[in-house]
């Protein structure tokens, strides 16, 4: 917005803004934020008066450092209409230069004289005020100025910082007609600012040199006055290089920096490697120019004692060793030495034979060094503390816990609700979910965790989201955008002495994940640029961890949704068993566990539990394919061992397609799966089971006895070419068959035998319902933090009463068909199913006639009165009946078509002695 030509000065947008219309997205974010702050401050665009300070300090350090640079800029822009301005950290103009000297005669005093204040809160949007507010280089063109008087000009302004502390000392601003705007001005302004900052640094160096000279003078006076002192000064740098390891040098300098940050006398003993100790002493010193500083010295033993081992006696004093306490002869009066900066007679520095200079400087410099070291320590700690889990909320809490109290007294984190669910939020939104509130105490009235926070665009939170940069509010009492969000709430926070704020956007890979706010209350000094940089670095590291957690949450949610969609949503209606089930996903991600209940012909039911190796979407998708295949194989009435063989072959084919034999060489294929398949027949109470590498099921008998069924283990699915074996067991009525996956009993913190013992104790309650049994097993056996999925299936067996089963044996004689029909009608009447007589008689007649005509003796007919009426005809032939479409001239071929119309379902299942053709009729339909 606004470089040259027609684009300079968003006149239309400024007019629309002043009329109360929204111009978001049409004006640069810093300019729009400044306009909004100006409006909240009640400033008027036609305001022409500014505060004026008459007492301008012409000897200010900033002005002395900048004068040569200002002169140089004036020479560069000679003959142009450029206005060169220097302002202090409060926006007051200290000096001006003009490229064309005749400009002075045509400008108003506000544009000429030093002393006028251009801070944003009194002057609105302008170069000096915006640079101080944004704390970075800013450009303002034409109508981007809030005041009418500046509409014809443009400016480029940059803050001037103290390179030691990072504090803003002032602003350098170039003003010019907006038609003269040139991108080449930016590097010129930057180089000029760097030159001023270097000269400010040189002033600090001059002060430090004066302190060093004062120390040397004082040391020389002390040495010449102390007759008989057998010690001698030593160059500390030589000692550090020759005597101390690098780690010891760092330790000594670090402790010396802490001592120098104070402005008083102090002494500290530093333990070094190999049992050595050095005593550091700090004391104030004053240069000839009156600069007050601190000098830090080290007390060293003699050469022969410097290498002596440390005392090992438990009662040896921790103070300075004897080698540090030689006899000291009388010297000059303490007052004489103290006047020149030397230590008094009782100073600890006089106790050593050898003294060496470690550091000398002003206390503030030491404080900056200590603060810098602590910032580095905090960043190092953040690398270890933030991102220990793949949970979005927990990662946000780790960021807050790391920052409190070392950077902030209170931290709040707001996120869009979708981010907590794993979704992306690439665009700024004013609707946030308060995720974290953490601080040094709990009585501050921040919006509570879980509340919805609707943020106004003028708040620092939304400003940082809009710009992608942190926003620093040094004084919240003057942060009108923050106050305007909720004045009553702001007053409550200010009453708790919360006075400074840094807001940082959580940005990662182009996605807006939220806003973190750092508040200060205990430290009376406001936040500075170093604090803002540290907060930004912490937030950037946390944002990457949060984004990783968000992506994991999204993948986990997708995999879990897929997993649950592939599992049974409801249990089918059947009367053979009473079933309850549970599925518990792993904490680290969903896997491939599944279960199924499949009704079969003859009132039987199939129970299935399986586990695909691995986690994630691939395992869930493989589970879905296996479960679908298992249902299809079960519909074919295959025996358990045959079904597992077919599943094994399927796994081998899938592995070949997706593994090394496939077109993708990077694919690892399918690792394998385990499975347990059982068929329970309530008419005989027989249960046929086979397993493929799966844990054996548990059986709870009606008397409460619990046992793990001894089934042949069988190989896991996917190995190929190995046989499976079925076992048939009779289950007493009301027994409970418990099928589960290995996630229930496998736990890295617990032995499998311990888990199985807990399972046996949890199951030893036969009076429980299957639902109660499921819950009891999970409560007692399931790991607290499961690493694998858990699938649990509990089935209580029922039996069909013998008086509800009717069986007839007959020869392959057509004359016997009528006898069976008559017996069937009589049995239906005894069961009270007279309404089903006609359909059942016709259906059974067709089935028996087919068996007599095409089957092989012996022929057996069975009726089962269950939820439905089941008709079965068994013969010794293995030939399969086939329903076909008969021509109009055919005399036969319509029997099975008639059976399909009369029955709810029908089919054929093969046995070791032949086949069974069955048909199931709904009693409700009859």
């Amino acid at each position: 917005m606004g470089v040259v030509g027609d684009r300079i000065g968003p006149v239309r947008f400024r007019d629309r803004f002043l009329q109360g219309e929204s111009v978001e997205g049409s004006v640069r974010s810093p300019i729009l934020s400044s306009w909004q702050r100006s409006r909240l401050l009640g400033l008027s665009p036609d305001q022409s008066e500014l505060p004026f300070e008459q007492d301008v300090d012409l000897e200010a350090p900033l002005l002395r450092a900048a004068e040569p640079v200002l002169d140089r800029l004036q020479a560069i822009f000679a003959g142009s209409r450029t206005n060169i301005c220097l302002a202090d950290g409060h926006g007051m103009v200290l000096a001006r230069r003009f490229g064309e000297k005749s400009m002075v005669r045509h400008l108003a005093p506000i544009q000429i004289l030093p002393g006028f204040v251009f801070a944003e809160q009194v002057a609105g949007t302008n170069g000096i005020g915006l640079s101080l507010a944004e704390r970075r280089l800013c450009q303002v063109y034409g109508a981007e100025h809030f005041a009418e008087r500046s509409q014809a000009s443009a400016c480029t302004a940059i803050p001037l910082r103290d390179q030691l502390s990072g504090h803003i000392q002032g602003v350098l601003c170039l003003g010019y007609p907006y038609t003269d705007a040139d991108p080449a001005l930016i590097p010129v302004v930057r180089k000029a600012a760097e030159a001023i900052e270097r000269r400010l640094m040189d002033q600090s160096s001059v002060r430090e040199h004066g302190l060093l000279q004062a120390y040397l003078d004082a040391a020389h006076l002390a040495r010449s006055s102390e007759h008989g002192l057998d010690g001698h000064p030593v160059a500390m740098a030589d000692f550090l290089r020759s005597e101390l390891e690098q780690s010891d040098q760092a330790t000594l300098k670090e402790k010396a920096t802490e001592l120098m940050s104070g402005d008083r006398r102090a002494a500290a003993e530093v333990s070094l490697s190999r049992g050595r100790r050095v005593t550091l002493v700090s004391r104030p010193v004053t240069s000839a120019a009156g600069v007050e500083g601190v000098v830090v010295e080290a007390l060293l033993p003699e050469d022969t004692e410097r290498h002596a081992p440390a005392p090992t006696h438990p009662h040896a004093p921790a103070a300075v060793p004897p080698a540090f306490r030689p006899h000291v002869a009388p010297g000059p009066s303490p007052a004489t030495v103290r006047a020149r900066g030397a230590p008094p007679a009782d100073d600890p520095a006089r106790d050593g034979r050898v003294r060496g200079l470690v550091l000398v400087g002003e206390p503030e410099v030491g404080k900056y060094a200590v603060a810098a070291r602590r910032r580095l320590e905090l960043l190092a700690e953040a690398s270890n503390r933030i991102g220990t889990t793949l949970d979005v909320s927990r990662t946000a809490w780790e960021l807050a816990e790391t920052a409190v109290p070392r950077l902030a007294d209170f931290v709040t984190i707001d996120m869009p609700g979708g981010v907590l669910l794993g979704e992306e939020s690439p665009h700024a939104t004013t609707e946030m979910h308060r995720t974290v509130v953490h601080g040094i105490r709990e009585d501050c009235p921040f919006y509570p965790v879980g509340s919805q926070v609707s943020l106004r665009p003028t708040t620092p939170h939304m400003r940082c989201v809009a710009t992608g940069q942190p926003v620093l509010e040094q004084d919240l009492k003057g942060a009108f955008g923050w106050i305007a969000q909720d004045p009553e709430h702001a007053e409550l926070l200010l009453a708790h002495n919360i006075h400074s704020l840094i807001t940082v956007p959580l940005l990662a890979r182009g996605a807006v994940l939220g806003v973190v706010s750092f508040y200060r209350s205990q430290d009376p000094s406001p936040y500075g640029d170093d604090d803002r940089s540290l907060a930004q670095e912490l937030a950037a590291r946390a944002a990457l961890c949060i984004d990783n957690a968000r992506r994991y949450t999204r993948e986990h949610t997708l995999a879990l949704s897929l997993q649950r969609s592939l599992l049974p949503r409801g249990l089918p209606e059947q009367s053979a068993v009473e079933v309850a089930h549970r599925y518990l996903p792993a904490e680290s991600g969903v896997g491939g566990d599944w279960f199924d209940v499949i009704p079969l012909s003859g009132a039987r039911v199939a129970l299935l539990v399986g586990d695909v190796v691995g986690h994630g979407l691939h395992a869930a998708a493989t589970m879905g394919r296996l479960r679908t295949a298992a249902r299809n194989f079960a519909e074919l009435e295959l025996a358990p061992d045959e079904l597992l063989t077919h599943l094994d072959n399927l796994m081998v084919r899938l592995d070949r397609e997706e593994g090394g034999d496939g077109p993708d060489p990077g694919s690892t294929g399918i690792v394998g799966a385990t499975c347990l398949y059982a068929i329970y027949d309530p008419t005989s109470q027989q249960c046929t089971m086979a397993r493929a590498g799966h844990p054996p099921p548990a059986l709870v008998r009606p008397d409460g006895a619990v046992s793990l069924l001894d089934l042949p283990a069988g190989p896991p699915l996917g190995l190929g070419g190995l046989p499976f074996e079925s076992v048939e067991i009779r289950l007493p009525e009301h027994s409970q068959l418990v099928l589960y996956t290995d996630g229930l009993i496998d736990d890295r913190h617990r032995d499998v035998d311990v888990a199985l013992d807990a399972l046996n104790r949890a199951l030893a309650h036969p009076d429980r319902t299957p639902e109660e049994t499921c819950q009891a097993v999970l409560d007692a056996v399931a790991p607290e933090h499961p690493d694998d999925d858990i699938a649990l299936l509990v089935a209580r067996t029922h039996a069909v009463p013998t008086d509800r089963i009717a069986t007839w044996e007959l020869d392959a004689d057509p004359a016997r068909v009528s006898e069976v029909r008559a017996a069937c009608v009589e049995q239906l009447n005894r069961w009270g199913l007279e309404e089903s007589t006609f359909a059942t008689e016709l259906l059974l007649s067709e089935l028996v006639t087919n068996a007599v005509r095409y089957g092989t003796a012996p022929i057996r007919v069975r009726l089962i009165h269950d939820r439905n009426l089941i008709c079965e005809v068994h013969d010794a032939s293995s030939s399969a009946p086939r329903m076909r479409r008969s021509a109009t001239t055919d005399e036969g071929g319509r029997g099975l078509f008639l059976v399909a119309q009369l029955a709810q379902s029908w089919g054929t299942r093969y046995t070791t002695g032949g086949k069974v053709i069955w048909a199931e009729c709904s009693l409700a339909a009859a």
Side-chain angles (χ1 to χ4, degrees), residues 666-729:
S667 177
T668 58
I670 298 173
V671 178
T674 64
C675 185
L676 172 62
Y677 186 67
I679 298 177
Y680 174 68
D681 187 349
T683 63
S684 63
Q685 299 177 241
Q686 296 292 329
C687 183
T688 306
M689 291 176 280
R691 63 186 179 119
H694 202 81
L699 177 62
V700 184
R701 299 185 182 275
D703 60 359
V706 181
S707 62
L708 294 179
L709 298 180
D710 185 15
L711 304 181
L717 300 178
L719 296 182
L722 298 176
F724 300 93
E725 184 177 352
S726 294
V727 173
E728 189 172 282
I729 300 174

Side-chain angles (χ1 to χ4, degrees), residues 547-558:
D547 190 53
N548 291 337
R550 179 192 62 79
R551 289 168 177 260
Y552 169 78
T553 300
R554 181 180 60 181
E555 180 180 344
H556 180 75
T557 301
L558 290 174

Side-chain angles (χ1 to χ4, degrees), residues 82-103:
T82 303
N83 182 346
I84 306 161
C85 173
L86 177 71
D88 65 10
H90 302 288
M92 184 182 72
V93 175
L94 299 178
R96 287 188 182 273
R97 299 285 193 277
F98 299 95
E100 185 178 324
K101 296 182 179 181
S102 61
M103 292 175 60

